[in-house]
Amino acid sequence: MLDRLRALEVFVEVVKRDGFARAAEALDTSPANVTRYISDLEAHLGARLLNRTSRKMSLTESGEALFERAKSILDEMADAESIVSSATLQPRGLLRINAPISFGILHLAPLWPQFMLKYPDVELDISLVDRVVDIVEEGYDLAIRISRSGSSSNAARKLATSHNFLCASPEYLQKYGAPTTPADLAQHQCIGYTYAPNGDQWVLTDANTQEHSVKISFVMHANNGDTIRAAALQGVGIARCPTFLSGEDLRTGKLVRVLPDFHLPDIDVLALYPSRRHLSAKVRVMIDFLANAFKGTPPWDRELDKQ
């Protein structure tokens, strides 16, 4: 009789690892067993899931639909198992966390003492860096990431959302005027973020959900949000500022929204960790602690909401 749960696990691993041999190694079994599980699953479902040749493997339409659902089912089961197992364990030991520099200083640093009082047996090792790290390769238990897309190779839990606005100082706008359409941005001094996914393109959405893509000629790039914020405050140009960084500046008028009728995509604050399976108690309590700290309207947007 087909062990359907195990078959789904094997199928998901084959897709993630892009091969039967690599999946077998990850699952600590033989390639023959992997092949058998996939064949039995296809026979059980009456559908071909994978197109296989000697050189290439790809998902069929049925395979694509099953993969997303199977991955979700396995994640939910692993999550439930972790809740039960971690509830019986005392959080302890070294917890290595990676986070972006600006967000880490502004919004995480004040929380660490609270966590340490609550969980005195957990030793924190915090690393702040703005580049995207490989959690497994670099030995982190948990990473806090500001992202729109999450991660395909790690499990993730959303902690909060931050709005993303175009901002400039009143002095800059008085000197150069305010753009009235997205196309006007091409004629303005703009400050870019080195790791932005769209490079030199800023994509704004109007009230009718129509997208406007503008190619920007930046006068300055920086790989750190505080540097960009400081330049915007000094009138260097227009910057794309997340509210977790610029919320107070907007509230006090040190920065002013540019093109307020157009919107940039929100960004998520995510907790990333290598796998939902066998999630340690120290990682789980940290994720729950951070989720609780940022629940509801996050602190960087609370003052803006009062305006």
Side-chain angles (χ1 to χ4, degrees), residues 100-102 130 193-195 221-229 245:
I101 296 172
S102 300
D130 282 337
Y193 180 53
T194 305
Y195 300 132
H221 274 93
N223 67 354
N224 171 260
D226 279 313
T227 302
I228 294 171
R229 170 180 171 267
L245 191 62

Side-chain angles (χ1 to χ4, degrees), residues 16-81:
K16 287 170 61 177
R17 304 282 176 176
D18 194 28
F20 283 54
R22 286 188 288 271
E25 184 179 357
L27 294 167
D28 194 23
T29 188
S30 67
N33 270 339
V34 171
T35 300
R36 178 175 59 81
Y37 269 112
I38 297 300
S39 297
D40 289 350
L41 181 60
E42 288 179 327
H44 174 76
L45 296 173
R48 190 170 185 83
L49 303 174
L50 296 165
N51 294 313
R52 305 187 285 279
T53 68
S54 59
R55 294 185 176 182
K56 188 176 180 182
M57 185 193 78
S58 62
L59 282 168
T60 64
E61 186 176 349
S62 297
E64 289 180 0
L66 180 64
F67 175 68
E68 292 303 324
R69 187 68 185 122
K71 190 169 62 166
S72 176
I73 290 170
L74 292 171
D75 282 348
E76 288 174 7
M77 285 200 60
D79 205 25
E81 290 171 355

Side-chain angles (χ1 to χ4, degrees), residues 166-178 191 229-239 241 249-250 253-258:
L166 292 182
C167 306
S169 69
E171 292 77 15
Y172 174 88
L173 296 176
Q174 184 176 10
K175 183 176 181 180
Y176 295 101
I191 308 165
R229 170 180 171 267
L233 287 168
Q234 292 299 316
V236 171
I238 298 172
C241 294
D249 299 319
L250 290 165
K254 293 179 180 178
L255 289 175
V256 179
R257 280 193 66 181
V258 172

Side-chain angles (χ1 to χ4, degrees), residues 62-197:
S62 297
E64 289 180 0
L66 180 64
F67 175 68
E68 292 303 324
R69 187 68 185 122
K71 190 169 62 166
S72 176
I73 290 170
L74 292 171
D75 282 348
E76 288 174 7
M77 285 200 60
D79 205 25
E81 290 171 355
S82 296
I83 290 171
V84 174
S85 61
S86 65
T88 64
L89 299 174
Q90 178 68 24
R92 66 175 67 251
L94 180 65
L95 180 57
R96 297 195 68 225
I97 301 174
N98 167 265
I101 296 172
S102 300
F103 189 85
I105 293 171
L106 286 172
H107 302 292
L108 295 177
L111 298 176
W112 303 139
Q114 301 173 36
F115 179 87
M116 294 172 73
L117 284 173
K118 191 172 183 179
Y119 300 102
D121 293 331
V122 178
E123 177 189 349
L124 297 182
D125 182 352
I126 311 298
S127 174
L128 301 183
V129 60
D130 282 337
R131 67 178 175 85
V132 176
V133 302
D134 186 311
I135 301 175
V136 175
E137 288 291 329
E138 300 185 44
Y140 291 105
D141 300 295
L142 179 68
I144 307 303
R145 191 164 294 171
I146 314 296
S147 172
R148 290 179 54 201
S149 56
S151 170
S152 59
S153 57
N154 299 292
R157 179 173 173 184
K158 180 179 172 180
L159 301 176
T161 297
S162 176
H163 298 308
N164 221 4
F165 296 146
L166 292 182
C167 306
S169 69
E171 292 77 15
Y172 174 88
L173 296 176
Q174 184 176 10
K175 183 176 181 180
Y176 295 101
T180 57
T181 69
D184 293 342
L185 292 169
Q187 309 304 319
H188 276 265
Q189 296 183 189
C190 296
I191 308 165
Y193 180 53
T194 305
Y195 300 132

